[in-house]
Structures are given as C-alpha cells and as structure tokens.
Amino acid sequence: MKLKLTRPLVFFDLETTGLNIASDRIVELSYYKVFPDGSSEGKTFRIKPTMMMLGQEVQMHISDEASAVHGIYDEDLVDCPTFEEIAPQLVSVFQGCDLAGYYSNQFDLPLLAEEFLRAGV
C-alpha cells in the first residue's frame, strides 16, 4: 500500500531527562520524514539538556530511571548542541508537516512544544 500524502509526514521520537512535560528536557530527537513524492529523509540529534540556575545556563541531570530506559547519560551530551541551538533547523523539519509517532500526542508533542517555547520559537 502506498501513502497518498498531500503534505510531508514526520514520524518522530524523543528521549528525555524524565517524564515531566513542563520541567524535563529532550536529550535525543529522531525523525523520519516522508514527502508526497515518495522521497524521505531522517536524522537523529543528541541534545544537551540545559536549565537556568542562578542566572546561568547549566546542563540538566538525566534521571537514573530515564538513563536506564534509553541508555543516554549526562557525560554523553557534554559536547552536544542545546535545543535552542538546533531549534531553527528543527522548525524547518517540522513546519508544514503532519506529525506521527507512538504516544506522541500524550507526551512527545507536548514536550517538544515546551522546548520550542523555551527556545523562543
């Protein structure tokens, strides 16, 4: 069966520092984008989670429970870009697309929206 798309479709998945949509951060974002002409692209971003503490941006700790699930630890992200740094690139990936993902409406999409808001996008 072939998809009949009128807009690109982006399948995406997040790995995070924890399960709180308002306070946790994305540590990995993977996407696979299918275009109406049948072509596709995909990419995975590792992202250093940050938060403001005493007026200074610091790396946020990944909970032990989250690391046990996705295998990503604080030290894996030290040299990675922050969400704010890659937000413009992600906007170009997601803009004008339909979105899909497992459990995405309940967790991934709201958390992604929070990250974009924090980044001023």
Side-chain angles (χ1 to χ4, degrees):
M1 182 175 127
K2 187 173 181 175
L3 292 175
K4 293 182 181 174
L5 302 175
T6 57
R7 297 165 27 128
L9 178 61
V10 177
F11 298 90
F12 74 102
D13 185 51
L14 305 178
E15 302 301 343
T16 66
T17 59
L19 297 175
N20 186 310
I21 290 169
S23 62
D24 280 306
R25 303 291 192 272
I26 298 170
V27 297
E28 186 175 84
L29 183 150
S30 296
Y31 77 88
Y32 185 73
K33 185 174 187 177
V34 181
F35 295 90
D37 68 4
S39 64
S40 62
E41 67 179 40
K43 187 168 184 173
T44 295
F45 295 89
R46 284 275 173 105
I47 303 165
K48 179 168 58 176
T50 58
M51 60 186 272
M52 293 302 288
M53 183 177 286
L54 301 174
Q56 183 174 307
E57 188 175 64
V58 296
Q59 184 170 340
M60 186 174 180
H61 174 66
I62 304 169
S63 72
D64 294 339
E65 295 84 0
S67 289
V69 170
H70 54 55
I72 303 169
Y73 297 87
D74 295 339
E75 59 272 12
D76 298 328
L77 305 173
V78 170
D79 296 323
C80 293
T82 65
F83 188 87
E84 188 172 355
E85 291 171 329
I86 65 167
Q89 186 177 355
L90 293 175
V91 166
S92 70
V93 169
F94 286 93
Q95 198 165 31
C97 298
D98 291 323
L99 305 177
Y102 181 75
Y103 199 61
S104 59
N105 287 350
Q106 289 80 15
F107 183 74
D108 289 11
L109 194 54
L111 185 55
L112 182 61
E114 286 290 327
E115 287 278 36
F116 277 126
L117 286 172
R118 281 190 285 271
V121 177

